[in-house]
Amino acid sequence: MKTAKKNTSVFVQMYQLMKKIRITEEAIANRYSQWKMRCPTHLCSGQEAVAAAVGTILRKDDFVVSMHRAHGHYLGKGGNLKKMLAEIHGKAGGCSGGKGGSMHLTDKSVNFMGSTAIVGGTIPIGVGLGLSIKLGKSNQVSVVFLGDGATEEGVFYESVNFAAVKKLPVLFICENNLYSVYSPLSVRQPVGRKISEMVNSIGIESEHGDGNNAGEVYDKIRRAVDAIRKDGLPRFLEFATYRWREHCGPNFDNDIGYRTEEEFESWKRRDPIVLFEEKLLTDKAISKKMIEKIEADIQKEVDEAFDYAASSDFPADADAFDGLYKN
Amino acid sequence: MTTFAEAITDGYTQAMEMDKSVICFGLGIDDPKGIFGTTLGLKEKFGEERVFDVPTSENALTGIGIGASLNGIRPVMSHQRLDFFLLAMDQLVNNAAKWHYMFGSQSSVPITIRLIVGRGWGQGPTHSQNLQAWFAHVPGLKVVMPSMAADAKGLLLSSIFDDNPVVFIEHRWLHNLKGDVPAGDYRVPIGKAQRLRKGSDISIVAFSYMTIEALHAIEVLEKQGISCDLIDLRSISPIDWEMIFESVKKTGRLIALDTGPEICSVAGEIVAQVSMECFDVLKQAPQRLALPQFPTPTSLALTKVFYKKAEDIIELAGKMLEKDIDLKSFQRSKDFLHDVPGDWFKGPF
Ligand SMILES: Cc1ncc(C[n+]2csc(CCOP(=O)(O)OP(=O)(O)O)c2C)c(N)n1
Ligand SMILES: [Mg+2]
């Protein structure tokens, strides 16, 4: 009874995070055509469950690294929304001082250590953070977010192997959304491969899950994180999910022909937020009224963050030539 | 008139029609966008055995291209950003560049690697690097950086049919530029520059996108009585030293332009060689204009001061010739911001 109750409030918290990520991403999409956010931007609408679950479960001192599609991971981990939007607007008050843009986010105050835009680039970084945890003998966890495409880079295998052989407290989370840009899995990996099974045979306990089923996502990540804290061994989770919008940019792109409208619709019918909402309503963990309030509060927060981003200053010219080295 | 991007497609088509051993692959080569339009229709024309999409595995695929080339295949690999190709530096430098030399000239590596350099719309630190000097620095590689549509086709064909590894670098901002492109098997020799403007006061040596900025600058300079010799290098390894020296011997002044960071740059090498070979005729110290020694920032505000443009060339030339230049006569259509080459470009990639 006690755990059920605890789960309920945790689920509401996770639901709020999912909503926050969705509303932020959709607000970016809606405003992108004002041409004020002048950087490549990879939105994660449709993939919110995994980011929100990680954010709900991790402690503030746990580490996260991520990839080009990082807004959700950043916000999930508790990254500052105003600073993220200011960064995407190229402002001095952005989380990377305007140097990085949407593809290079960081919020050191919550140990979101960095997201970068070279596929696979942060996988070994997360493993290195894991090594530092082991050396420091703390029970933190280092989480590495990656896509299905990143599992094709050599550095992925090298990193997973090292985490396994050195027994490092790293949680790899692969969001398998079936595509790398417009290239389907079928031209990149053998038919029938399960990434999680492959990693299992490399020597890391792995599991596969439905990335749009928020409850399942929560349970699997909860168990993995608890286990890592206990035994310090790496874990790998693969979640099936789907990005709704174009690979990079604000639009939908089902019309250009690399995926079908039916496929898109079938995933959209399994909107992780709607599914979770239905579950929480059925379980009476949440009411329609609460949902309305959550939405209104987040909308207000997002609007305020956009106002902050739009009204804050651009960096001074001299900033371009500052910060190359630590003094 | 053909765009630079269409000229690339034309080059591919010509090569693949002439020689069955030419194949091409790269991430997104057959997707609906066709690598900024440069590979559209190739799969339909030549089939999926010769034109194929690949896993996100740059290093392995470079090695695989090298291996295939050892047995008579001529692979053309493409990367949507030079930055992504950095994962494959090992195969390029340790294998491709060395194979012919280190095995006593018994086999060579006829591969072509297309790399696209991004700029603007917040491409930032990992999507806009101009690292041509890295490649030019490695013995055993050839490196070309065309700026004109015709040269894009002519050099692509020469690269594909060269028996050595060629790194073919395209600046994203050139893809929409139009020019007359000869039909058929048109080749531009690797290692030969082209004089685009004839003049007597100053030699400007440029390549890739900086050639375009130089052309804008020269329009202003000529009006104000400064006569410029403009050499578009087209190849940066090997470099057409003869044409550069001949020009500097005539003008006695040099500005070398570069799209990359200035330290150890191609422009730096040109300044060095000119100083050694043309010392006696130099009227003043040779100059270079390149990027500052910093990563590319992302913010619109920061890229404004980061890149070098026609105005900087004009100012430097004026200073060298001790002439006050009236920059007000410099009118470029400016109904778009500095981080795009024209209003056709809205990012996001
Ligand atoms: C090394 C490298 N190669 C290629 C790219 C171009 N690129 C950017 S995002 C991306 C897709 C990667 O797919 P995945 O890892 O599945 O992530 P998703 O975009 O689906 O979230 C690619 C190929 C890159 N950024 N870095
Ligand atoms: Mg993917």
Side-chain angles (χ1 to χ4, degrees):
Chain A
M1 195 57 209
K2 207 177 147 201
T3 49
K5 200 159 180 196
K6 193 171 162 208
N7 257 355
T8 317
S9 68
V10 160
F11 277 174
V12 172
Q13 196 190 327
M14 179 173 158
Y15 171 78
Q16 279 173 310
L17 267 180
M18 287 169 73
K19 276 288 211 194
K20 180 170 171 173
I21 296 167
R22 170 74 56 86
I23 290 172
T24 303
E25 295 293 66
E26 293 301 299
I28 292 172
N30 289 332
R31 295 175 211 223
Y32 198 83
S33 63
Q34 297 167 7
W35 314 129
K36 292 274 186 326
M37 291 176 267
R38 298 171 87 89
C39 58
T41 302
H42 304 78
L43 301 176
C44 70
S45 296
Q47 301 189 191
E48 296 86 353
V50 176
V54 170
T56 310
I57 291 161
L58 289 190
R59 299 192 316 228
K60 198 168 164 180
D61 69 339
D62 290 326
F63 294 117
V64 167
V65 292
S66 170
M67 19 96 82
H68 53 283
R69 197 176 309 287
H71 298 174
H73 306 151
Y74 170 100
L75 293 174
K77 187 64 171 73
N80 185 300
L81 173 64
K82 283 184 174 164
K83 288 187 177 177
M84 181 180 97
L85 290 177
E87 186 61 35
I88 301 172
H89 282 77
K91 298 302 178 71
C95 62
S96 305
K99 299 262 176 63
S102 162
M103 300 191 292
H104 307 97
L105 304 173
T106 184
D107 189 338
K108 290 284 291 289
S109 71
V110 293
N111 277 358
F112 185 87
M113 302 305 282
S115 58
T116 70
I118 297 299
V119 170
T122 55
I123 300 173
I125 308 293
V127 174
L129 287 161
L131 177 66
S132 77
I133 293 170
K134 189 171 179 188
L135 292 170
K137 299 191 167 46
S138 75
N139 71 346
Q140 291 156 282
V141 171
S142 174
V143 172
V144 177
F145 281 107
L146 57 135
D148 47 295
T151 68
E152 292 147 20
E153 296 286 8
V155 73
F156 168 72
Y157 299 89
E158 299 172 25
S159 304
V160 162
N161 179 61
F162 188 80
V165 74
K166 277 280 191 187
K167 302 186 174 24
L168 301 179
V170 180
L171 175 58
F172 300 91
I173 299 184
C174 175
E175 289 173 273
N176 185 344
N177 60 9
L178 307 175
Y179 294 91
S180 165
V181 192
Y182 309 121
S183 307
L185 266 173
S186 59
V187 301
R188 301 182 288 117
Q189 300 188 22
V191 178
R193 141 132 10 122
K194 273 236 153 56
I195 294 170
S196 56
E197 284 171 11
M198 174 178 75
V199 176
N200 207 43
S201 65
I202 295 178
I204 292 188
E205 215 178 288
S206 306
E207 251 192 294
H208 181 276
D210 175 358
N212 284 19
N213 179 339
E216 179 184 336
V217 170
Y218 179 89
D219 286 344
K220 291 211 152 90
I221 296 177
R222 172 93 262 170
R223 258 186 282 137
V225 168
D226 288 350
I228 295 171
R229 282 210 212 286
K230 211 175 277 164
D231 62 19
L233 297 177
R235 299 291 189 290
F236 183 96
L237 295 173
E238 175 192 3
F239 289 109
T241 184
Y242 201 75
R243 111 180 109 69
W244 285 3
R245 290 183 179 270
E246 60 189 333
H247 165 69
C248 177
N251 303 307
F252 292 100
D253 66 353
N254 305 317
D255 56 313
I256 69 174
Y258 72 101
R259 62 186 196 185
T260 63
E261 194 69 35
E262 289 102 285
E263 179 183 282
F264 169 77
E265 286 301 336
S266 76
W267 280 94
K268 213 163 172 210
R269 275 194 297 277
R270 301 199 54 254
D271 179 342
I273 295 185
V274 171
L275 293 179
F276 201 30
E277 213 168 87
E278 283 166 3
K279 176 183 154 56
L280 294 180
L281 284 168
T282 314
D283 293 353
K284 303 221 169 358
I286 204 168
S287 65
K288 283 248 161 64
K289 222 171 141 189
M290 277 167 76
I291 291 174
E292 273 165 33
K293 167 132 176 50
I294 287 170
E295 274 171 3
D297 288 351
I298 294 172
Q299 194 60 58
K300 186 158 168 272
E301 190 190 348
V302 170
D303 288 343
E304 280 171 12
F306 268 99
D307 289 344
Y308 169 83
S311 64
S312 57
D313 292 331
F314 277 112
D317 289 357
D319 278 13
F321 312 116
D322 187 33
L324 189 59
Y325 299 109
K326 181 172 182 177
N327 288 317
Chain B
M1 296 279 265
T2 306
T3 67
F4 187 107
E6 290 160 351
I8 300 270
T9 323
D10 186 4
Y12 268 114
T13 307
Q14 187 66 40
M16 297 185 77
E17 274 171 359
M18 286 191 307
D19 186 343
K20 272 213 199 55
S21 70
V22 177
I23 64 167
C24 55
F25 55 90
L27 274 181
I29 198 158
D30 61 346
D31 78 18
K33 303 262 169 96
I35 315 200
F36 308 114
T38 60
T39 58
L40 288 175
L42 292 180
K43 186 166 98 177
E44 290 68 23
K45 211 170 205 152
F46 299 105
E48 57 186 30
E49 235 179 37
R50 294 176 68 194
V51 182
F52 53 91
D53 201 355
V54 295
T56 324
S57 311
E58 290 79 4
N59 197 29
L61 280 152
T62 305
I64 288 159
I66 296 169
S69 81
L70 294 176
N71 191 28
I73 303 294
R74 291 186 180 272
V76 187
M77 299 173 251
S78 52
H79 298 270
Q80 308 207 5
R81 285 288 180 277
L82 181 152
D83 318 63
F84 309 160
F85 179 72
L86 297 184
L87 276 69
M89 285 304 275
D90 165 50
Q91 285 297 330
L92 181 76
V93 176
N94 285 323
N95 283 341
K98 313 276 192 289
W99 209 270
H100 185 256
Y101 184 86
M102 95 186 153
F103 292 120
S105 310
Q106 296 177 75
S107 42
S108 73
V109 175
I111 60 171
T112 302
I113 296 170
R114 286 179 61 211
L115 305 178
I116 295 167
V117 172
R119 173 169 166 180
W121 205 273
Q123 298 298 308
T126 63
H127 276 60
S128 62
Q129 295 176 83
N130 289 269
L131 299 176
Q132 58 271 10
W134 287 25
F135 304 111
H137 186 67
V138 177
L141 300 178
K142 297 186 182 183
V143 188
V144 300
M145 289 186 84
S147 54
M148 301 291 151
D151 293 334
K153 174 178 175 182
L155 279 169
L156 184 60
L157 277 159
S158 294
S159 303
I160 293 172
F161 293 111
D162 196 291
D163 283 331
N164 301 285
V166 183
V167 180
F168 186 101
I169 303 178
E170 294 157 43
H171 197 288
R172 176 80 178 92
W173 281 18
L174 296 171
H175 275 154
N176 259 35
L177 291 186
K178 287 187 176 158
D180 289 320
V181 176
D185 181 12
Y186 173 68
R187 308 220 188 164
V188 168
I190 296 175
K192 285 273 171 282
Q194 186 176 32
R195 179 176 278 101
L196 292 183
R197 294 284 183 276
K198 227 180 167 126
S200 52
D201 293 330
I202 189 161
S203 303
I204 299 179
V205 177
F207 56 87
S208 188
Y209 180 70
M210 285 311 282
T211 300
I212 308 303
E213 292 290 337
L215 285 167
H216 286 298
I218 288 170
E219 232 176 89
V220 176
L221 291 167
E222 295 282 345
K223 274 189 210 139
Q224 315 220 0
I226 297 180
S227 155
C228 305
D229 221 34
L230 174 61
I231 295 176
D232 181 19
L233 279 183
R234 307 193 290 192
S235 298
I236 60 164
S237 179
I239 286 180
D240 188 347
W241 295 114
E242 213 175 302
M243 191 182 287
I244 297 175
F245 297 155
E246 185 208 332
S247 170
V248 174
K249 280 175 185 157
K250 181 175 66 181
T251 64
R253 296 186 185 85
L254 169 74
I255 297 178
L257 305 177
D258 203 309
T259 61
E262 65 182 346
I263 305 300
C264 299
S265 59
V266 173
E269 181 61 27
I270 291 166
V271 167
Q273 298 273 357
V274 163
S275 305
M276 294 189 300
E277 293 295 322
C278 310
F279 191 71
D280 295 343
V281 302
L282 283 173
K283 296 176 181 147
Q284 57 200 131
Q287 302 290 322
R288 71 179 170 200
L289 267 182
L291 292 187
Q293 206 62 18
F294 286 85
T296 317
T298 298
S299 170
L300 174 74
L302 298 175
T303 48
K304 192 165 193 169
V305 289
F306 187 77
Y307 284 104
K308 295 287 191 289
K309 38 194 180 302
E311 289 89 327
D312 300 295
I313 304 169
I314 295 167
E315 203 186 302
L316 179 57
K319 214 159 83 189
M320 289 172 78
L321 283 141
E322 290 171 358
K323 276 201 173 169
D324 275 334
I325 305 281
D326 176 17
L327 255 179
K328 264 178 268 149
S329 69
F330 184 55
Q331 293 287 347
R332 279 160 91 176
S333 68
K334 275 290 176 191
D335 37 6
F336 48 85
L337 290 171
H338 71 271
D339 70 336
V340 290
D343 51 12
W344 57 271
F345 188 77
K346 294 229 162 42
F349 175 62

